Amino acid sequence: MSAIILEGLKAMMLGIGITFLGLGLLWLVIRIMSIVVRRMEK
Amino acid sequence: MTGNLVVLLKSTGFSAMTSGNCIMLVIACVLIYLAIARKFEPLLLLPIGFGMLLANLPLCNLMSPPSDGFTGGLVWWLYQGVKSGVFPPLIFLGIGAMTDFGPLLANPKTIFLGAAAQIGIFGTFVGALFLGFSSPQAASIGIIGGADGPTAIYLAAKLSPELLGAVAIAAYSYMALVPLIQPPIMRLLTTRKERAVVMEQLREVSRMERIIFPIISTLVICLLVPPSAPLIGMLMFGNLCRECGVVDRLSKTAQHELINIITIFLGLSVGATASADKFLQASTIQIISLGLLAFCIGTATGVLFGKLMCYLTGGKVNPLIGSAGVSAVPMAARVSQIVGQQANPQNFLLMHAMGPNVAGVIGSAIAAGVFLSLYGL
């Protein structure tokens, strides 16, 4: 039982990490895109 | 004569009715009542309730697979669209065509609130493991915390179809109960001063940014978490159709006819999976309780992350918008607006809350992709 919970905790940390990484990457890309597009449109 | 009457009576559904069927018919009628009288997510609870009613009528065989000359029940055929994972992404296509990502593009840091609110999914996943569910089942239960019906159905159909009915009903019920569940948690975790914070007006987002966003987000998310591609790909394609301005017919079809047709098929077939033998189990109560826990944790972590952002930005972010990170578009954003206005009538948080709200849709699709990577493929 404890081994399953331990595996679950690892999966939880991985899941939270990937969700933040994915949305963090998206944030970075949006920031870069906004800067580039606004410079192009000036 | 009497013999014929007995044969006729035995061929009716009444003779084959079990107590389980009766209970399920009552539950189906309660869902239909909630959808019609209380307007609780009626677009989905009504077809789900009616699908449940159809599936629990004995001898009708609407959910029976093909066998020995029988071509298969009507609802069984519809269910193949859920089982194969086709219907939920098509719903996402319609959602994408209806979604305005402008508030997120104008204030992209709110994307992290959408990520924080997904912690409820993973926390509940561990809780479900603790109660003895298998890892795929625990993942299907945890995803209820994403408050995103199509994502929950997509994941449950792939990982644990036996729980699909309970997971879908819990997900849509809690989405309908957002205005009741979230405000107490939001008030508990914030001070009146924090709730009264007025945020700066959002900047205008150019057409070019709106067009580039769905393309780059598809690239970034689908390359990072490939199993989320069916959901994210369809969501972003729908949004591209909306924003590019050259395929209005496709955009309107996705927003109206397509999503409506798929909603009927999806709702009926998901409801029909809730047969008495699968639904009337102790595990259903555990799933419904864990779903509520997932929802509450997601709301709390979103608000707490909002408080952190409020602190880091010197009071420029109202923590209440964090609760909208649980998806449930646009209901959760409206709740942020209402609770904010109670603290300060001059506060207009709706558009600010739409940023984390739509980020939550992307975040829950990523979480589903992570679970599929771990347990599904």
Side-chain angles (χ1 to χ4, degrees):
Chain A
M1 184 70 175
S2 58
I4 295 170
I5 302 290
L6 197 64
E7 279 300 308
L9 285 170
K10 282 183 195 167
M12 181 181 92
M13 298 313 289
L14 181 72
I16 293 171
I18 300 229
T19 306
F20 269 91
L21 178 66
L23 289 176
L25 272 175
L26 204 52
W27 168 78
L28 187 65
V29 172
I30 293 171
R31 291 285 296 162
I32 295 168
M33 176 192 74
S34 297
I35 293 166
V36 173
V37 169
R38 276 192 276 178
R39 280 197 184 166
M40 280 168 62
E41 287 179 342
K42 263 184 189 174
Chain B
M1 177 69 181
T2 313
N4 285 344
L5 191 64
V6 170
V7 171
L8 183 70
L9 280 175
K10 278 189 177 172
S11 71
T12 67
F14 290 110
S15 63
M17 191 75 104
T18 63
S19 56
N21 291 136
C22 293
I23 296 170
M24 289 308 295
L25 292 178
V26 171
I27 295 173
C29 290
V30 169
L31 290 181
I32 293 170
Y33 166 78
L34 290 175
I36 296 172
R38 299 294 179 93
K39 296 189 171 59
F40 281 4
E41 290 285 331
L43 288 176
L44 266 145
L45 273 192
L46 186 69
I48 286 176
F50 205 80
M52 192 186 277
L53 186 136
L54 290 175
N56 287 284
L57 296 175
L59 307 182
C60 291
N61 296 325
L62 284 166
M63 200 53 182
S64 302
S67 64
D68 296 334
F70 176 59
T71 52
L74 170 69
V75 185
W76 183 86
W77 283 106
L78 296 181
Y79 178 62
Q80 300 316 299
V82 178
K83 196 178 170 189
S84 58
V86 172
F87 287 167
L90 289 180
I91 295 265
F92 258 48
L93 176 65
I95 292 172
M98 288 192 277
T99 302
D100 176 10
F101 283 103
L104 180 68
L105 295 173
N107 191 6
K109 63 177 174 288
T110 58
I111 206 167
F112 292 107
L113 297 170
Q118 309 312 316
I119 292 173
I121 293 176
F122 297 104
T124 307
F125 163 73
V126 175
L129 285 178
F130 193 76
L131 287 180
F133 287 97
S134 67
S135 299
Q137 288 177 330
S140 304
I141 296 167
I143 203 75
I144 297 171
D148 197 333
T151 305
I153 291 170
Y154 183 75
L155 192 70
K158 294 262 180 196
L159 295 185
S160 49
E162 70 280 4
L163 301 184
L164 182 58
V167 167
I169 288 160
Y172 282 107
S173 303
Y174 293 137
M175 281 165 68
L177 293 173
V178 161
L180 296 178
I181 298 171
Q182 287 196 318
I185 301 169
M186 294 159 80
R187 288 193 201 99
L188 184 73
L189 296 175
T190 52
T191 61
R192 191 173 180 84
K193 192 181 163 194
E194 284 170 334
R195 293 198 292 276
V197 168
V198 176
M199 294 178 70
E200 283 172 24
Q201 196 173 353
L202 294 171
R203 71 172 174 87
E204 253 327 277
V205 177
S206 71
R207 180 167 173 253
M208 193 184 287
E209 285 174 90
R210 289 173 184 273
I211 293 173
I212 296 172
F213 172 72
I215 299 169
I216 55 164
S217 42
T218 303
L219 291 173
V220 169
I221 305 295
C222 296
L223 289 174
L224 184 70
V225 193
S228 67
L231 294 171
I232 294 291
M234 288 297 103
L235 180 77
M236 294 305 168
F237 174 60
N239 190 250
L240 183 61
C241 289
R242 170 198 168 96
E243 300 296 354
C244 70
V246 293
V247 286
D248 275 355
R249 277 169 51 195
L250 300 189
S251 175
K252 281 177 185 161
T253 301
Q255 286 181 44
H256 300 104
E257 291 83 358
L258 180 68
I259 198 167
N260 290 342
I261 291 168
I262 300 297
T263 299
I264 293 170
F265 291 172
L266 184 89
L268 277 176
S269 50
V270 164
T273 61
S275 55
D277 57 324
K278 287 180 189 158
F279 196 81
L280 295 178
Q281 294 180 1
S283 62
T284 302
I285 300 200
Q286 289 177 325
I287 291 167
I288 289 171
S289 309
L290 285 165
L292 179 62
L293 178 73
F295 211 82
C296 293
I297 297 175
T299 302
T301 50
V303 173
L304 289 173
F305 208 85
K307 279 170 81 89
L308 179 68
M309 285 181 81
C310 179
Y311 174 73
L312 293 176
T313 57
K316 286 184 180 170
V317 172
N318 189 317
L320 292 179
I321 66 168
S323 65
V326 296
S327 309
V329 183
M331 188 74 87
R334 282 190 200 138
V335 170
S336 300
Q337 159 80 9
I338 291 164
V339 179
Q341 278 208 325
Q342 285 167 352
N344 177 3
Q346 305 303 315
N347 218 347
F348 294 96
L349 292 176
L350 185 65
M351 291 317 286
H352 299 285
M354 284 308 291
N357 212 189
V358 295
V361 177
I362 302 173
S364 55
I366 294 176
V370 171
F371 282 134
L372 282 172
S373 299
L374 292 173
Y375 307 115
L377 299 175

